[in-house]
Amino acid sequence: MINEDSKFPGKDRSDKGKWIGPWMPQWRDPGDKGPFTTLRQLYSEIQEASAGLKVKRDALKKTGEYTPAGIAGKLKQVARSETIPAIRTAAAEQVRRFRKEVESRRAAMKPFDHDPKDIVRELQRQEVRAWLGKLTPDERTKAVRGASDPLIKEAALTVPVELTGLLPSTRDDLARELIEARYGDEIAALKELDEAVSTVERAVDGARDDVRESLGMIEHDFNAEFRDVEDEIDRLAELRASKPQPKLVDIESIMSTVKAMNWDEQHELLTAIQHEKKRGEDKAFRDSLDKLSGKAA
């Protein structure tokens, strides 16, 4: 079923009716690039990968040259070399990256900035806690829940819950309220991104089921047949993710440093750059000659 409520292509259910979800119109970036643009493309490509296998299956049937077993064998080859890698790579790299981004941004949200060096603020919180300690449990709960001054809520969150006289659920509510007040817009944006990521994750599962149905395999046999391919894709994705990202070059800082040099220093730097460039070109030329002559580079 093509999404009738979205301007973007895609199925909101797998062939066997497993829920995927439509791509919602509000999931879009201000410009031509961004997380929603990438996820929208993945959403379509994942489903197209599984649909392509069905097209291949129907084409093989029309030829009349293959037995059902022969068709199954051909389709397994395509699934192993093309379809499964296309679906799994998207899940292992892109979708997982966005999932981690959502989780890390949420984990970074704090109810307030707690500076242990701010002695005055800490003394104020201690006074508040002393006052709260004199109240009955019901009065204490009512006081912190209805507090308009965030200092009262901070006082209940900067020590272990056992020292506050509050229920853990009350303390959790306080933290959530402060976080929502502080990060309201970001929370709303992350909620939309989270839902988009979840939709693409379900698209991966749905496409995988569609591939299994196209091959006429039960889930146990399908998992056993393609586990090695999926495990290897996951392993390579983890390896790439663990590699340190290259540092971005601070062009402005470099330009400021160069401008601060006198003429002789700038000339010496330019000569050194030209020398290194020539060395690199000479090495590339020698490597090309070695390859042409059959020598190792």
Side-chain angles (χ1 to χ4, degrees):
M1 175 181 177
I2 302 299
N3 297 338
E4 297 177 352
D5 299 326
S6 171
K7 65 179 181 180
F8 302 122
K11 302 186 306 180
D12 58 11
R13 294 182 184 275
S14 69
D15 291 345
K16 286 295 183 179
K18 177 180 286 188
W19 175 249
I20 296 173
W23 188 265
M24 304 305 293
Q26 69 267 26
W27 296 342
R28 58 180 182 270
D29 298 298
D32 296 332
K33 296 180 180 180
F36 288 115
T37 302
T38 301
L39 288 167
R40 182 190 69 188
Q41 184 175 353
L42 288 172
Y43 177 79
S44 297
E45 290 178 352
I46 288 166
Q47 296 185 5
E48 288 170 0
S50 61
L53 190 66
K54 288 185 288 186
V55 172
K56 180 71 173 178
R57 178 197 60 193
D58 295 341
L60 290 172
K61 285 182 178 179
K62 286 182 179 179
T63 64
E65 299 176 1
Y66 300 94
T67 64
I71 292 175
K74 289 284 187 182
L75 291 179
K76 284 182 181 179
Q77 292 176 9
V78 175
R80 173 172 285 273
S81 63
E82 300 176 15
T83 314
I84 295 295
I87 296 171
R88 192 69 176 193
T89 300
E93 295 187 354
Q94 297 275 24
V95 182
R96 184 180 300 176
R97 176 169 63 86
F98 286 114
R99 171 57 63 204
K100 287 183 177 180
E101 179 182 344
V102 170
E103 293 173 353
S104 64
R105 286 172 63 182
R106 280 179 172 160
M109 293 180 179
K110 306 299 180 186
F112 57 92
D113 292 326
H114 182 203
D115 183 3
K117 296 180 180 179
D118 190 344
I119 304 301
V120 174
R121 189 71 171 180
E122 181 54 34
L123 288 174
Q124 291 174 336
R125 286 193 285 260
Q126 288 182 12
E127 291 179 2
V128 171
R129 285 193 290 270
W131 167 68
L132 290 173
K134 298 176 182 179
L135 304 178
T136 66
D138 288 345
E139 290 174 337
R140 189 181 304 119
T141 300
K142 184 177 180 180
V144 294
R145 283 190 179 277
S148 58
D149 188 343
L151 178 64
I152 297 177
K153 296 179 180 180
E154 289 179 20
L157 293 172
T158 49
V159 294
V161 67
E162 292 81 6
L163 300 180
T164 65
L166 298 171
L167 293 173
S169 59
T170 301
R171 182 182 164 104
D172 292 343
D173 289 344
L174 294 178
R176 186 181 65 254
E177 289 170 7
L178 289 176
I179 288 174
E180 289 176 351
R182 190 178 188 190
Y183 301 98
D185 292 341
E186 185 175 356
I187 289 173
L190 276 181
K191 182 176 182 295
E192 293 294 341
L193 181 59
D194 188 1
E195 291 179 356
V197 172
S198 296
T199 299
V200 179
E201 288 172 337
R202 290 192 297 269
V204 170
D205 292 338
R208 195 173 182 275
D209 277 359
D210 286 349
V211 171
R212 180 173 60 79
E213 290 294 330
S214 295
L215 297 175
M217 302 176 71
I218 62 174
E219 187 168 359
H220 176 272
D221 293 346
F222 181 84
N223 292 339
E225 179 78 24
F226 298 105
R227 181 177 292 114
D228 62 327
V229 178
E230 294 181 326
D231 286 350
E232 179 63 10
I233 291 172
D234 290 347
R235 185 188 70 80
L236 293 175
E238 287 289 347
L239 185 63
R240 283 189 286 269
S242 65
K243 288 184 177 180
Q245 296 297 314
K247 294 182 179 180
L248 296 177
V249 177
D250 189 346
I251 299 297
E252 292 185 2
S253 177
I254 294 174
M255 291 302 297
S256 298
T257 302
V258 172
K259 288 178 181 178
M261 295 177 175
N262 58 41
W263 189 89
D264 290 335
E265 290 172 331
Q266 290 181 358
H267 180 71
E268 184 178 348
L269 175 62
L270 180 60
T271 301
I273 292 174
Q274 291 173 338
H275 178 66
E276 288 299 319
K277 182 173 182 291
K278 186 175 186 305
R279 284 180 58 187
E281 291 173 347
D282 289 345
K283 184 179 184 304
F285 179 70
R286 290 194 301 271
D287 289 345
S288 298
L289 289 180
D290 289 342
K291 289 180 180 180
L292 288 173
S293 62
K295 298 179 181 179

